[in-house]
Amino acid sequence: MKKFKKALVLLLSALMVFSIIGCGKTQKSGKGAFKPGTYTGEGEGIHGKIQVEVTVDENKITAVKVLKHDETPGVSDLALKKIPEDIVKYQSIGVDTIAGATVSSKGVLEAVKKALEKAGANIKDLEKKPEKDKASLKKIEKNVDVVVIGGGGSGLAAAVTAHQNGAKVLVLEKMPKVGGNTIISGAAYNAVDPKRQAKAGVEDSVDKHYTQTYEGGDKVAKPEMVRTFVENAYPGIEWLESMGMQFKDDIFTVLGALWPRSHKPVKPLGTGYIETYMNYIEKNKADIEIMVNSKATELIVENGKVVGVKAEGADDEIVAKASKGVVMATGGFAANVEMRNKYNKMWSDLTNIKTTNHVGPTGDGIFMAEKAGANLVGMEHIQLLPMGDPKTGSLSGNIEQGVENRIFVNKDGNRFVDEGARRDVMTKALFEQKDASMWVILDKHSYPTGDTKNNFNESIDELVKAGRAYKADTLEDLAKQIGANPDNLKNAVAEFNKSVETKAKDKFGRTLYKDKIDTAPFYAGARVPTAHHTMGGIEINPSAQVLDKNGKVIRGLYAAGETTGGIHGSNRLGGNALADTVVFGRIAGKSAAEGK
């Protein structure tokens, strides 16, 4: 296994071309299924066209190459490698997409489909999902101190901490790579940080963070959980920095954070977190094993204690015994439409609402824990953001850099909400606008140069070129480009600029300001509501021990991250999720290692 950091650097330095020759169990294509030859096709990736080359003989697909792409290194790499491999292996384009790189995966599949159409293939047959041959699965047994289910931010934090407390650890990750939602996140981390905040003239306190988190969730969270969270947020940053992770010195306010205490990593997206964990794991791989493509299916319970996990791998069945404890860190259920609709009480039907999440968070861990007796809390609390990409629902393409320097306008060019409000408040207001669509408006203060990047490692010039953002030297021209009323847009900006001068609360209740929107070029980016975070889940105590329906500890079972409930209440503050993964990931790992 190559070091994660080294691999990321190499991937950032060059485009990747993969040539994969098939092996393994395949679907039967049939004689004369293809017109032999080599064909090309293109699909739409997240940053433009993905071009592939597909080679077939009369009966099968023999090779797939990704020729050209502009996808994000370190995020889309596995999709560009594994999707072609699986297509050849299974002779199918019905293979699974890759977590965290869904758009890139679909782009490759679309391109291969178009190439195969040229080869005269029966596309309907090739779109069938390949089946596993269960009879050929190998039986694998593992015996460790701690099993962690889930290789996202909270799971890897738990794994590292468990090892730091003397445990031998196994991580089971159902997707083909680790990272979860953390690696594709905007990576903002909330913590009271006097040193950094003082430089910006920001006064803050742990009590203030507690109050805003508790009241921002309508006081339905468990107070002791909120207190544990806010008190351990900054120590979490110190812990990450002790392992080599770097944060920028500037503090900002991420969407819905309510206060400037958000930290931004130096590395793009959430790659800094995952790289930090994986570097540690690589150095200690004798005692920490990660098994990807390994979906946990059942907790093993003996005499009322959780002692292990059953899982299914790509080619094996796994029984993993844990002498000290099992940590559930499988994320939430924002990617499970049926589950969202089952528990939803706050929003209208969520069936057609896209999500910022990768495909993995489908509530698996919640189901397993509940079957083992765990109590679930706050399942009806589902967070929608007003910041989804209109096509994909993802956070990518979002042009905002922070709350203070931008406004939201509807299709008519009018402001309609306090842009520094709670996320649910902003999203409800957006649903009331025409087509539930808005424009984020800002200027050169947010993008001093065209190569300045957003929080998702995309430069503003790239976004404009791709038609995902609009640029103009005047507000009149910008309004024309986005189809808004020029007078309305100019008035909206003028009113905002007056408030920047006075710092007074405006008619929408806004209080967060920094720079005026008065310097060309001006920019606009479209956004829609999207499912982002599920605040409900497995109930835990401050030691991250899972509780049953009577409030008693289920021995041997711990949980952390978005799979838990009771920490954020009815609404999660922006920037609290990454801190949550670190704080309770660490607590769960330590508690499990101690067999607490």
Side-chain angles (χ1 to χ4, degrees), residues 146 158 161-162 327 543-545 558-560 583-593:
V146 175
T161 306
V327 178
S543 296
Q545 295 168 299
Y558 310 83
V583 168
F584 287 102
R586 293 181 71 199
I587 292 173
K590 185 174 186 295
S591 293

Side-chain angles (χ1 to χ4, degrees), residues 38 88 98 249 264 282:
T38 298
V88 177
I98 303 301
D249 286 335
K264 184 182 292 188
E282 170 65 19

Side-chain angles (χ1 to χ4, degrees), residues 472-487 489-490 522:
D473 289 329
T474 66
L475 289 172
E476 290 89 345
D477 185 22
L478 189 66
K480 182 179 179 180
Q481 290 186 49
I482 65 176
N485 182 296
D487 291 334
L489 181 59
K490 286 192 295 181
F522 301 97

Side-chain angles (χ1 to χ4, degrees), residues 525-593:
R527 298 281 102 179
V528 298
T530 183
H532 183 56
H533 192 98
T534 50
M535 282 75 72
I538 303 164
E539 185 176 13
I540 60 174
N541 64 18
S543 296
Q545 295 168 299
V546 174
L547 304 179
D548 67 15
K549 289 175 172 46
N550 296 313
K552 294 183 179 180
V553 169
I554 297 177
R555 293 183 298 132
L557 185 58
Y558 310 83
E562 196 174 345
T563 201
T564 65
I567 298 168
H568 305 290
S570 62
N571 170 70
R572 178 179 64 76
L573 299 194
N576 273 1
L578 270 295
D580 179 6
T581 66
V582 174
V583 168
F584 287 102
R586 293 181 71 199
I587 292 173
K590 185 174 186 295
S591 293

Side-chain angles (χ1 to χ4, degrees), residues 318-456:
I318 306 157
V319 175
K321 288 294 188 76
S323 63
K324 294 186 175 180
V326 172
V327 178
M328 190 68 72
T330 52
F333 56 92
N336 186 330
V337 175
E338 187 175 303
M339 195 171 174
R340 284 180 349 207
N341 281 335
K342 174 183 177 180
Y343 289 106
N344 171 45
K345 293 180 181 178
M346 180 175 177
W347 309 98
S348 58
D349 184 66
L350 297 176
T351 303
N352 296 316
I353 299 295
K354 296 180 174 64
T355 180
T356 63
N357 289 203
H358 71 92
V359 297
T362 52
D364 305 351
I366 294 173
F367 295 138
M368 281 185 279
E370 186 179 30
K371 187 176 180 180
N375 189 42
L376 306 183
V377 293
M379 294 294 288
E380 71 274 20
H381 302 313
I382 299 170
Q383 183 171 81
L384 268 59
L385 284 185
M387 280 295 177
D389 179 275
K391 291 184 178 180
T392 67
S394 75
L395 291 176
S396 70
N398 180 11
I399 66 173
E400 74 167 10
Q401 297 283 25
V403 169
E404 291 87 352
N405 288 0
R406 50 82 173 128
I407 59 172
F408 302 157
V409 300
N410 58 24
K411 285 193 169 183
D412 292 327
N414 294 315
R415 286 181 64 208
F416 57 91
V417 73
D418 169 11
E419 298 92 344
R422 289 170 31 156
R423 290 175 165 184
D424 53 350
V425 170
M426 290 185 284
T427 306
K428 285 178 181 178
L430 180 55
F431 272 122
E432 295 174 358
Q433 309 309 306
K434 183 179 179 181
D435 297 328
S437 179
M438 72 177 187
W439 297 97
V440 179
I441 306 294
L442 41 72
D443 70 354
K444 188 175 182 177
H445 287 102
S446 295
Y447 292 93
T449 62
D451 58 2
T452 303
K453 294 186 175 182
N454 64 3
N455 295 326
F456 300 90

Side-chain angles (χ1 to χ4, degrees), residues 22-211:
C23 61
K25 191 178 187 297
T26 65
Q27 304 241 49
K28 292 182 179 179
S29 298
K31 188 174 182 180
F34 309 106
K35 179 181 178 181
T38 298
Y39 305 88
T40 60
E42 287 189 343
E44 194 66 40
I46 199 163
H47 296 307
K49 299 293 184 183
I50 298 174
Q51 186 181 81
V52 304
E53 179 182 271
V54 180
T55 302
V56 297
D57 62 20
E58 187 179 25
N59 301 312
K60 65 182 180 180
I61 305 166
T62 60
V64 175
K65 293 180 182 179
V66 175
L67 299 179
K68 295 179 181 179
H69 70 88
D70 290 312
E71 303 303 275
T72 304
V75 175
S76 61
D77 306 328
L78 191 58
L80 299 173
K81 177 179 185 295
K82 187 164 176 35
I83 296 294
E85 285 179 344
D86 285 350
I87 289 171
V88 177
K89 179 178 180 180
Y90 296 108
Q91 295 295 296
S92 169
I93 55 175
V95 299
D96 291 334
T97 56
I98 303 301
T102 306
V103 177
S104 299
S105 300
K106 290 181 178 178
V108 174
L109 291 170
E110 179 188 1
V112 173
K113 177 180 177 180
K114 289 180 178 178
L116 290 172
E117 286 174 343
K118 296 176 183 178
N122 185 326
I123 298 299
K124 187 175 181 180
D125 283 347
L126 289 170
E127 287 179 330
K128 293 178 182 177
K129 193 173 182 67
E131 296 181 4
K132 286 183 182 179
D133 182 2
K134 290 195 174 184
S136 66
L137 294 179
K138 295 181 295 182
K139 311 295 190 226
I140 295 178
E141 292 188 5
K142 297 285 183 177
N143 291 281
V144 294
D145 298 316
V146 175
V147 174
V148 178
I149 308 175
S154 56
L156 294 182
V160 169
T161 306
H163 179 265
Q164 290 176 336
N165 284 271
K168 185 173 183 179
V169 184
L170 171 66
V171 179
L172 297 172
E173 169 54 54
K174 76 173 182 179
M175 305 308 296
K177 68 173 184 177
V178 298
N181 276 336
T182 294
I183 202 169
I184 61 171
S185 71
Y189 184 117
N190 281 353
V192 177
D193 184 347
K195 186 183 295 184
R196 287 183 175 95
Q197 287 174 305
K199 292 179 182 178
V202 175
E203 293 185 8
D204 201 3
S205 69
V206 171
D207 284 342
K208 191 179 188 74
H209 191 189
Y210 170 86
T211 299

